[in-house]
Amino acid sequence: MMFPRRCLIFTLDITEILAVSNFTTIAPNYRQTATLQKSASERLHALLQISRTDNVLDLGCGTGHLTQAIRAQTDGTVVGVDPSEGMIAEAMRNHGKEIEFHVGSAEALDMPLQFDAIFCNSAFQWFREPERAIANCHAALRPGGRMVIQAPARKDYCPNFILAVDSLKEDCRTRNEYSRFRSPWLFLETAQDYAGLFARAGFTVQTAEIESVRQRCSPAKVFEMFESGAAAGYLNPDCYDLPLPPGYLADAREVIARNFQSQAGADGQVELLFFRIYLLARKP
Ligand SMILES: C[S@@+](CC[C@H](N)C(=O)[O-])C[C@H]1O[C@@H](n2cnc3c(N)ncnc32)[C@H](O)[C@@H]1O
């Protein structure tokens, strides 16, 4: 059966359907939809072991809801940095009284304070110049300070997302434009590859592990997760090397959403698989 344009199998707000996805457009709903990033951050907190006196930088802090969890663990200074003005505006609106936030990227990081700890959840894959970003983090830590990252890892970081996005190649409405998509992400294949980046910047790597995480959820929930992060690449005109015609983003959303629906088993649930790097590094 053919579905008319913009008739999705599950309901999406029309304004959202028409919207370009980047972190500024995602920001207003991010707190509610970023369940994947939030659950992944729990192990990161356990790795970092924040003490009551630690000064902590949350790098790629987004809307600051995880920065707020850091604020609750220390009486030291807590700073959130993110290049998205929309994300920082949300963070300031919600937590601006108790946390300092700045617009800025990891590549341009230049902090007057030396931190005891840097927390970086679900942002490392977006770093355009990882060597420069890691060198800046090294400079922003006091000797003995530590840094943790959690990020999707490996080219097949989420086979479900990849399968759904690959279906854009099969649909005549999206095939041509999708062939001009250029991935903005950094995905390394092994934990040793991630550890090597940090070791070359002068860090001692204490933990580096790629974990596989499985969870069952509805196709609508999978789509919501997709919208909270991956869409900022796949559905962002800046990641295509041609101008996108009107309607492409709406068509692409429809094709992807339908593919998630087709991934559901007899119980209506999708088995979602994610590979994530967890890394803890210390500045000697
Ligand atoms: C999926 S969100 C994660 C936000 C938050 N850390 C969390 O876990 O909810 C990814 C964030 O990385 C930020 N980001 C992208 N490129 C970055 C860069 N070069 N340096 C620092 N942050 C970056 C984005 O603006 C976005 O807010």
Side-chain angles (χ1 to χ4, degrees):
M1 178 184 168
M2 285 298 291
F3 289 88
R5 178 178 265 205
R6 297 200 179 93
C7 168
L8 292 189
I9 299 161
F10 43 82
T11 314
L12 288 173
D13 185 279
I14 189 77
T15 53
E16 213 172 36
I17 289 173
L18 296 173
V20 164
S21 285
N22 57 42
F23 278 111
T24 290
T25 62
I26 285 172
N29 294 324
Y30 183 77
R31 180 178 302 261
Q32 286 75 41
T33 56
T35 49
L36 206 57
Q37 293 86 342
K38 187 162 189 306
S39 65
S41 74
E42 281 155 20
R43 182 170 169 205
L44 209 55
H45 280 289
L47 268 180
L48 192 54
Q49 297 277 321
I50 296 172
S51 82
R52 287 282 1 144
T53 56
D54 276 345
N55 297 321
V56 186
L57 171 66
D58 184 3
L59 185 57
C61 63
T63 56
H65 60 295
L66 300 180
T67 331
Q68 170 67 18
I70 294 170
R71 173 72 288 165
Q73 294 170 53
T74 175
D75 299 322
T77 301
V78 177
V79 178
V81 169
D82 196 289
S84 158
E85 289 182 6
M87 286 293 205
I88 290 294
E90 278 293 310
M92 299 272 281
R93 200 165 59 76
N94 292 309
H95 311 293
K97 287 205 182 89
E98 64 277 25
I99 303 172
E100 204 183 299
F101 290 104
H102 299 283
V103 174
S105 69
E107 289 82 350
L109 192 67
D110 182 15
M111 288 279 147
L113 182 69
Q114 282 216 310
F115 292 91
D116 300 292
I118 299 177
F119 179 90
C120 182
N121 189 60
S122 298
F124 190 79
Q125 72 276 21
W126 290 98
F127 291 2
R128 295 288 177 126
E129 297 172 75
E131 284 90 359
R132 183 197 285 226
I134 295 170
N136 289 344
C137 291
H138 192 269
L141 283 171
R142 65 155 177 81
R146 67 261 186 235
M147 173 167 187
V148 285
I149 66 160
Q150 177 286 121
R154 311 189 353 177
K155 278 195 211 72
D156 61 344
Y157 71 100
C158 176
N160 310 78
F161 285 8
I162 291 165
L163 191 64
V165 172
D166 266 358
S167 67
L168 296 174
K169 294 177 193 160
E170 313 301 325
D171 194 292
C172 61
R173 294 168 301 166
T174 52
R175 178 187 301 145
N176 289 342
E177 286 76 15
Y178 182 63
S179 70
R180 309 282 290 273
F181 170 73
R182 302 292 171 250
S183 168
W185 296 298
L186 170 74
F187 294 130
L188 303 180
E189 292 307 300
T190 68
Q192 290 70 27
D193 293 337
Y194 286 94
L197 269 180
F198 282 79
R200 284 193 291 283
F203 280 97
T204 303
V205 177
Q206 298 187 308
T207 305
E209 272 172 31
I210 293 181
E211 183 182 86
S212 61
V213 186
R214 286 173 199 277
Q215 70 183 90
R216 295 184 74 72
C217 42
S218 69
K221 186 75 197 163
V222 177
F223 192 78
E224 192 179 282
M225 292 175 182
F226 177 85
E227 286 277 26
S228 76
Y234 293 121
L235 301 179
N236 183 343
D238 293 343
C239 297
Y240 288 76
D241 66 10
L242 80 174
L244 293 178
Y248 171 79
L249 294 176
D251 290 337
R253 275 188 165 86
E254 185 189 319
V255 171
I256 291 167
R258 195 176 309 152
N259 187 279
F260 286 143
Q261 192 86 25
S262 76
Q263 292 183 33
D267 62 354
Q269 302 287 293
V270 176
E271 167 119 340
L272 192 63
L273 171 62
F274 249 94
F275 296 104
R276 306 180 194 289
I277 177 73
Y278 282 90
L279 180 141
L280 165 66
R282 192 173 289 273
K283 176 172 173 173

